[in-house]
Amino acid sequence: MNDDTAHATDRRFPAALAEVARVDFAYGHDTTGEAAAAGDYRIDFEPYTEFTSREETVDSFRSWTGGTDVDGDTYLPFGQDGSGGQAMIWRARPGRPLADQPIVFLGSEGECGVVAGNLSDFLWVLADGFGPLEVTWEDEELTSTPDEALTRLAERHATTPRRTAREIVLETRAEFPTFEEDIWALSR
């Protein structure tokens, strides 16, 4: 197996995502439905403890695009928002490990976009107070609201320097300017 094939088939769940999966992202309300208290997250994100199966990924990608000839084999879903939109590692850089691949989001209501250029930057996006869904909103100002616990998590795992979500998202959109239209081109 050559290096490109090894990276293309790598489905080992990164340790950083396993730790993210242990975070309780209480989105905007407590368990009684009351307004969020101090310490509640404003991030609509439900992380998984492993990647979805290939079969589930194919089914959801075909459902999202409406195409039966697409398989989504370059995507590894690792979490979702409350309505089922998925955060995924997008294997866009052949021959590179999963941690070096961009993070993208495909929402249940048509939201679509790049979130971060790699796993480390994704951790900094979370630490800055944003989830995958929130950074795809076009009108989002991405005003930093750092979270102490998520910052500590990023400090333990990130290999990139700390930056704001806004800086990371703008840099990643510049690197992958056609991601959204490329995804829409797959849709029927």
Side-chain angles (χ1 to χ4, degrees):
M1 180 180 310
N2 69 34
D3 195 43
D4 284 349
T5 305
H7 288 297
T9 59
D10 186 3
R11 294 183 59 83
R12 289 172 292 175
F13 204 66
L17 288 180
E19 189 169 342
V20 168
R22 291 191 291 273
V23 174
D24 182 15
F25 291 91
Y27 180 59
H29 294 86
D30 65 19
T31 56
T32 67
E34 295 298 316
D40 284 344
Y41 294 100
R42 66 183 196 100
I43 300 171
D44 184 1
F45 185 52
E46 300 168 13
Y48 303 152
T49 57
E50 60 186 16
F51 294 122
T52 61
S53 71
R54 285 184 175 92
E55 294 78 19
E56 289 175 291
T57 302
V58 168
D59 287 348
S60 63
F61 202 79
R62 286 180 177 170
S63 175
W64 203 91
T65 63
T68 57
D69 56 342
V70 296
D71 62 16
D73 63 346
T74 60
Y75 298 91
L76 295 169
F78 64 85
Q80 67 179 40
D81 70 353
S83 65
Q86 295 191 323
M88 303 177 230
I89 292 177
W90 171 35
R91 292 185 287 210
R93 298 178 177 125
R96 305 271 297 275
L98 291 181
D100 292 347
Q101 304 293 345
I103 308 301
V104 298
F105 182 78
L106 300 180
S108 64
E109 303 299 320
E111 308 90 348
C112 171
V114 291
V115 175
N118 55 57
L119 182 54
S120 288
D121 284 348
F122 176 67
L123 299 175
W124 291 123
V125 168
L126 291 175
D128 204 37
F130 297 92
L133 168 64
E134 292 83 13
V135 300
T136 63
W137 294 335
E138 289 298 321
D139 59 348
E140 181 67 54
E141 291 184 24
L142 300 177
T143 303
S144 294
T145 55
D147 178 88
E148 186 177 322
L150 290 170
T151 297
R152 286 193 310 270
L153 189 154
E155 289 170 345
R156 282 191 297 278
H157 294 281
T159 58
T160 57
R162 183 176 185 165
R163 291 173 292 144
T164 66
R166 179 173 173 71
E167 291 170 307
I168 291 167
V169 170
L170 291 175
E171 177 183 294
T172 307
R173 286 179 184 167
E175 183 178 358
F176 300 101
T178 64
F179 174 77
E180 190 171 344
E181 53 188 72
D182 293 344
I183 289 292
W184 285 112
L186 297 173
S187 300
R188 299 183 190 238

